[in-house]
């Protein structure tokens, strides 16, 4: 699906794509199916509540496997920038490791002419997939100083050609270098 996310753009400046192998769904940082910890500001959860997807499980915001997402990049002949799991978190504790591996390693290797962007709040799970394929960009998201400190340290352990930090939404002023240079 073509995206309006401004940082997911193709080399020619056109909008990139999103795929959601886990459908629309997330239990939030540290959340579980029994005890969800959804972020109150989550845009994906709000979209699911509006019933914008044809899939009933997506509209319930319950993570579930959509294997057809893996074939979509095959149809795109020109190189694309593809945000993987824009409507959830691909590296949540509820995601089995085989599914994390399929997304993190197998998907970029299957389509080396595309760039795959991964973004998570569960930064502790990223180093499991070192080294990442060269066409995988790996990022962590933070909303406050405490998260920034922890997640940037975890990101430092990731072996990826491109690593990045995303503030979404930025709920308080954050100093990226505060505790890291002390």
């Amino acid at each position: 699906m073509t995206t309006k996310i401004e940082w997911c753009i193709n080399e020619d400046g056109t909008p990139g794509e999103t795929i959601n192998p886990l459908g629309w769904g997330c239990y939030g940082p540290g959340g579980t199916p029994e005890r969800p910890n959804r972020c109150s500001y989550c845009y994906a959860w709000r979209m699911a509540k509006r019933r914008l997807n044809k899939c009933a499980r997506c509209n319930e915001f319950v993570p579930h496997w959509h294997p057809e997402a893996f074939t979509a990049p095959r149809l795109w002949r020109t190189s694309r920038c593809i945000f993987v799991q824009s409507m959830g978190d691909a590296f949540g504790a509820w995601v089995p490791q085989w599914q994390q591996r399929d997304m993190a390693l197998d998907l970029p290797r299957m389509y080396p002419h595309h760039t795959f962007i991964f973004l998570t709040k569960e930064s502790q799970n990223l180093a499991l997939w070192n080294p990442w394929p060269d066409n995988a960009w790996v990022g962590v998201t933070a909303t406050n100083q405490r998260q920034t400190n922890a997640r940037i340290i975890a990101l430092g352990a990731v072996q990826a050609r491109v690593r990045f930090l995303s503030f979404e939404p930025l709920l308080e002023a954050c100093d990226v270098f505060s505790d890291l240079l002390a």
Side-chain angles (χ1 to χ4, degrees), residues 63-98:
H64 58 288
W65 196 233
H66 275 263
E68 71 277 7
F70 278 81
T71 60
R74 182 185 61 199
L75 304 175
W76 301 320
R77 298 289 178 225
T78 58
S79 296
R80 306 278 175 107
C81 188
I82 304 167
F83 183 10
V84 179
Q85 205 51 45
S86 64
M87 300 299 281
D89 196 325
F91 301 97
W94 61 88
V95 182
Q97 283 196 344
W98 70 268

Side-chain angles (χ1 to χ4, degrees), residues 12-175:
D12 65 2
T14 59
E17 307 287 341
T18 61
I19 59 171
N20 289 284
L22 297 173
W24 292 14
C26 180
Y27 295 120
T32 66
E34 298 77 28
R35 295 195 59 161
N37 185 33
R38 293 191 176 103
C39 304
S40 61
Y41 49 79
C42 180
Y43 73 91
W45 188 23
R46 283 193 311 272
M47 289 178 71
K49 285 183 181 179
R50 291 172 32 210
R51 307 290 189 241
L52 297 176
N53 198 303
K54 293 177 184 175
C55 172
R57 303 253 358 244
C58 288
N59 291 331
E60 295 168 8
F61 210 59
V62 175
H64 58 288
W65 196 233
H66 275 263
E68 71 277 7
F70 278 81
T71 60
R74 182 185 61 199
L75 304 175
W76 301 320
R77 298 289 178 225
T78 58
S79 296
R80 306 278 175 107
C81 188
I82 304 167
F83 183 10
V84 179
Q85 205 51 45
S86 64
M87 300 299 281
D89 196 325
F91 301 97
W94 61 88
V95 182
Q97 283 196 344
W98 70 268
Q99 288 177 326
Q100 290 183 23
R101 184 200 65 240
D102 283 358
M103 288 182 279
L105 302 179
D106 296 345
L107 189 59
R109 289 178 181 149
M110 285 169 41
Y111 307 106
H113 60 293
H114 295 309
T115 299
F116 292 88
I117 300 175
F118 299 90
L119 183 62
T120 185
K121 290 180 174 73
E122 303 285 356
S123 54
Q124 72 279 3
N125 296 329
L126 295 174
L128 294 172
W129 311 113
N130 285 338
W132 286 70
D134 283 345
N135 61 329
W137 295 9
V138 182
V140 297
T141 185
T143 62
N144 58 42
Q145 189 66 56
R146 181 186 55 77
Q147 291 174 359
T148 300
N149 293 348
R151 292 179 183 161
I152 204 166
I153 289 169
L155 188 60
V158 174
Q159 297 170 15
R161 188 175 61 87
V162 175
R163 297 176 294 175
F164 64 97
L165 179 62
S166 174
F167 294 98
E168 55 170 314
L170 185 58
L171 300 177
E172 67 181 46
C174 294
D175 182 352

